[in-house]
Amino acid sequence: KPWPKHRPCGSAGAFSDSSAHTARVVLAGLRRSSNMGVCWDYKQRERALNQYIDNFVDRPCRCCWCCGGFIFLLAAISGGANLMKIEELDDPWSVLSSEATQNRLALELAKDAALMTDPADIAEISRTGRRLGRSSWAGSPVPLPGMEGTLARFLRPDDAPAAKRRLSDDLDLEDHTLLLFYKSDKAGTEDVFTPVRLQDMCKLESAWLKVTKFPTIRSFDSVVKLFYGPEPVPSDRTMPLDGEWECGLLDEASVSATVAAMKASIDADGPRSPYARFVHPNFKDTATSVYTRTAVSIKVEKDLAGDLADGVMDYLGREYGWLQDGMISSSAYIGEEDSFVPKDSIRVRVVCTGTDEMTIMVAPDFLLAFASIMLVFVILSTYLRSVFLACCGMFQIILSMPVAALIYKGLTIDFFDFLHILVVYLVLGIGADDIFVLVDAFRHVSEHMAPLVKPGRYPDEVLKDLLKRTWVRSAGAIFNTSFTTAMAFMSCSGSKAMPMRTCGWYAAISILLNWIFTITFTPAVLVIWHQRVQGSKCCITSLFKLRPVGEVGPPDFSEKAGSNMNLIELALDRFYIRGMNWQLGKVRPVPWIVAIAGLALAIQGTYFTSQLTPPRSAEVWFPNEHMLTDFSTFMAENYYQPDYKDYAIVEVVFGIKDFDITDIDIYNPGGPGGKVIFDGAFDLSTKEVQDGVLSTCEWLNNLRCEFDGCKNAGYNTLRMQSDKKTHSCFLEDFREWNGGTLPVGDAFLPALKDFRDNAAAGDYNSEFLVDEVSYKEDIGIVNGELKYAVIKIRSTMTMDTPYSQGNEINNFIEEQLDKHIQTLPAPLARTKLVCIVFAFLDLSRELLNGLFQGCGIAMPISFLVVLASTRNLVVSGYAVISVASIVLCVLGFCKSAMDWDLGVGEAIAGVIVIGYSVDYVVHLAHIYCEAGHHGITKREERAAFAVRNMGSTVFAGAITTAGSGLVMFFCFFYFFIKMAILICVTIMFSFIFSLGFFMSVMWVLGPQGKFGDLPNCSGSMRMMSSGGVETGKQAEAAQTADDGEKAAPMPVAAPTTERAAAGNAAVVPVCVDDWEETEV
């Protein structure tokens, strides 16, 4: 076709030297003259890029100091402001859109208003929604759905319900519990009630009393007193709390008599017997028990709560420490396989609400992050073969996190949780991968485009051209993976769980910062390394002088070019590529076999992913040997009357219409701002409404629960059955206090106020509920008017009820409550259900939804990014299939290999590792299509090009990321171990599907020529081709001129000191509407 009248933007004569080599380039029909502005914009961008690259070569030290100093300054500001400090907020994991959460928060705010006597305070609560700090999982370093009974209550008692705290006469005192569980023997076959074992129990408890610093013991419910006290009835016996016990050896007859009295009581009263809580359920049949226990309730100053169990632990010889119990860091609460510690003739298990186990043990686990940093440093040094590059790389990776915190906090987000600290493990691998891409690109480009005949440094002009080619290729490749990974984390933005949402943002900022640092700071470091350090034994002394200039040879595009191959590249070239190219007749069997095997692997992953179910058991957060692991299950299964405190309170609330969350800060969901809206129709002064409340009390008391989540063998009710009262109906108590009648009309409210202010909850409620009942809270009189009222029961549902079981119970109770409301008078139509367990269930549901949402967002984004970088629909489709297969195989592994449920831990870890699944496939897809810009059209040659240029980078990135995750296998918390498993498994499948399935498909089914390419309708930067590493066949132009003749080979000269004003040698940026070929 005739040459267009207007000339192309850019230069056609770049890279000409004394040998007068001609250049032949691929051009297309130019845009109409009206679109020439795009070309001039490109020319300006090209000049700016040249100036940008020139600065790195002309002034590398200044660029390094400026960029590095700026990064350090931002990191110092972040560190000085302590922006990475873990913030403790009230209820950070609250799902505000959840009805169960809204009901709970509304009731808490209403109770706070009811406690206020000053009208100004009530108005302040109404205006700001300020609560008194009543929180069930406030400030917890991990989300606690299903863990409230085991962790939030036992580990963070200062955040327990406010009703418990208000029992203390002194606001500086808190109520705590020390539980001592005794077991007869490891096998669990012998009787614990023997004279010798009872004597050992007595010695332990006596030793604790002697060293205890806490004089205010509210109750001492000890099994020892049943056998050692002087009174004839075991339940009446007591032991002195202010002196040393006489722990003599009891005679067999005395022990047998006590056991007989206990059995007679249990035979008569069942779980209502006062001895039921001391024995195993089989005791009623065998008169023997493997287990027994002692419970001590005590008031203690908050600062001394952590010392409550010290005397017991000292007696048992347990302590916190390093390198014990087969762990890097170990807890004093680690036992043997059964979570018990042997002591003389007994085995002991200790649970203390004053010990903040989570905070104590999370610190050593975070210290292991330094081990991860050192491991990544070793891998960087080994692969890059430079301690200098490794040090600078670790500098930018580590400082990216405090700088990210500065930007993150600049978004007015104050919340920073332990989940954000986990980003260090993620960024280490991703940041190292970015550096690998840049350094490998420079090495490949320099070895092929300008091989050094004589060792030394490149002349500045040559180095500028090489660095530009490196920068153009790697900046785009790194951006593609960084953007895709960041968007995978940004998928958490839609999560209703605030910590997950903000953690996604922080991770995305950290990843994008690593990309920015890699294209700004690392090039200057790379130039300094090449000009001064490369090849020297001591990087410190070599920094002060330049290396001599080497001799540059002609370009070498042969497949054997690049004598400086590392072991990974040699293995890939000699075994992987040769294996893929091996032919049996006209068929390449290896890629077909690998592709089919990958497809089969993806199918089995899909099958097992479909088998994942919601949690069937409580979440596991501690090692199996920890005394808190499966504690609730242990209590429910091994005691005839389990510890009532481990069972949830279910409340029914009258008079609250709604909860307004409009003004609540989304980054502080447990903070002020919410407003409770009372039901104006609620009025208890009529007999009809009073009868409705009383009928609701009866309905709640008798509501049956036959689901697995209700631990109620023998009676099948939602309410716990016991010898003591396990329900609280304020109207029944008020009627009893008022002589058996209930006033109506104008007389009702004054009498109810009198009862509310003067009646003692302990006179009408047993120990099963007395800590949970406060008439001033449960009878909501605000500003002299009755606004709401509460009835409650101690349920048979444990605090750590798993999701699947709890969801069944929640749905059943809601359904039954809706039916019951239909029978109530109109003023009670707004009756609501409140239970902390149901709020946890909503959080669990939201985290599971977040996992699937993350997958749903990551897949389309991956496709769009790959499509934008490759501009090929076929390659993009294969890439997304590979990424989806990786995610499905990882989730399937959780079921097939680990037999995990899709629980909270899996949901959190799953969202975090989604981003890992896209990197390697995107890298290879990008470089596969880049091969086409070098004149490579055959699929097998493109695939080999991609493996030679990116295979070793993918391998090194996989090793680095997996290595940073491996350190977490040595952590104490099982959550970190689960994270390590998921990270390593994700990297394993990413490696398998990228270099295995994806590249095999490319080898036999990949697009050739321009098949699948999108039409290019904008200015195209052909300089991408100059950054490539070409084989011998790439030097041939694979294009055909209009006369149908094959184009002549395109010789490419070595770079000279003359560079075209517009950019690279043999590169003409063009404005095109379609790809038509023209010869210059």
Side-chain angles (χ1 to χ4, degrees), residues 388-400:
F388 174 75
L389 288 178
C391 289
C392 294
M394 294 307 298
F395 170 84
Q396 76 176 43
I397 293 172
I398 294 172
L399 293 191
S400 69

Side-chain angles (χ1 to χ4, degrees), residues 135 290 381 385 616 1024:
S135 174
V290 175
S381 302
R385 288 174 280 187
R616 297 163 294 173
M1024 291 293 293

Side-chain angles (χ1 to χ4, degrees), residues 669-684:
K675 297 179 178 62
V676 59
I677 302 174
F678 294 108
D679 184 5
F682 178 62
D683 182 6
L684 262 181

Side-chain angles (χ1 to χ4, degrees), residues 753-943:
K753 287 182 179 179
D754 191 17
F755 168 76
R756 174 183 181 266
D757 295 337
N758 298 306
D763 295 339
Y764 300 93
N765 295 276
S766 71
E767 61 190 64
F768 280 68
L769 274 178
V770 67
D771 287 352
E772 307 293 342
V773 174
S774 169
Y775 290 134
K776 290 186 178 181
E777 289 184 339
D778 296 342
I779 302 172
I781 296 179
V782 181
N783 278 335
E785 298 179 4
L786 180 62
K787 294 293 187 179
Y788 73 92
V790 182
I791 62 175
K792 60 188 68 176
I793 62 171
R794 177 74 70 176
S795 73
T796 52
M797 182 172 52
T798 60
M799 299 297 287
D800 59 355
T801 300
Y803 175 83
S804 56
Q805 297 177 4
N807 203 41
E808 286 181 333
I809 299 172
N810 186 19
N811 293 336
F812 172 75
I813 297 177
E814 291 284 0
E815 179 183 348
Q816 296 301 313
L817 180 60
D818 289 341
K819 292 180 180 179
H820 178 70
I821 290 175
Q822 302 302 318
T823 66
L824 299 177
L828 301 180
R830 301 287 185 175
T831 301
K832 297 184 182 300
L833 181 72
V834 175
C835 180
I836 188 67
V837 173
F838 299 153
F840 285 140
L841 295 179
D842 286 335
L843 174 59
S844 301
R845 186 181 301 109
E846 176 56 34
L847 291 174
L848 295 179
N849 291 339
L851 174 61
F852 295 111
Q853 174 182 290
C855 294
I857 293 177
M859 295 304 110
I861 288 179
S862 300
F863 177 78
L864 292 176
V865 171
V866 177
L867 185 62
S869 62
T870 64
R871 302 192 60 80
N872 188 288
L873 284 170
V874 177
V875 174
S876 301
Y878 290 153
V880 171
I881 292 173
S882 301
V883 172
S885 299
I886 294 168
V887 175
L888 289 170
C889 285
V890 171
L891 295 177
F893 177 88
C894 295
K895 183 64 179 179
S896 61
M898 306 303 298
D899 195 28
W900 290 343
D901 298 322
L902 196 55
V904 174
E906 289 80 6
I908 295 174
V911 170
I912 289 175
V913 300
I914 284 175
Y916 279 140
S917 63
V918 302
D919 279 11
Y920 308 140
V921 173
V922 173
H923 275 317
L924 292 168
H926 173 81
I927 208 73
Y928 177 90
C929 289
E930 184 183 314
H933 303 328
H934 300 284
I936 306 175
T937 59
K938 293 183 178 180
R939 59 172 65 98
E940 62 271 13
E941 294 178 359
R942 284 188 174 189

Side-chain angles (χ1 to χ4, degrees), residues 448-514:
H448 289 266
M449 298 299 297
L452 287 168
V453 178
K454 178 182 177 181
R457 61 183 174 89
Y458 286 112
D460 287 354
E461 291 301 316
V462 176
L463 183 59
K464 290 175 182 178
D465 285 299
L466 296 177
L467 187 61
K468 178 179 178 181
R469 297 166 185 267
T470 299
W471 192 94
V472 169
R473 169 197 279 188
S474 56
I478 297 171
F479 176 78
N480 291 335
T481 55
S482 297
F483 180 77
T484 310
T485 307
M487 289 303 102
F489 285 112
M490 285 296 288
S491 67
C492 298
S493 298
S495 175
K496 297 174 184 176
M498 186 271 293
M500 287 297 298
R501 184 167 64 247
T502 56
C503 178
W505 294 342
Y506 178 67
I509 294 171
S510 299
I511 291 168
L512 292 176
L513 276 178
N514 271 276

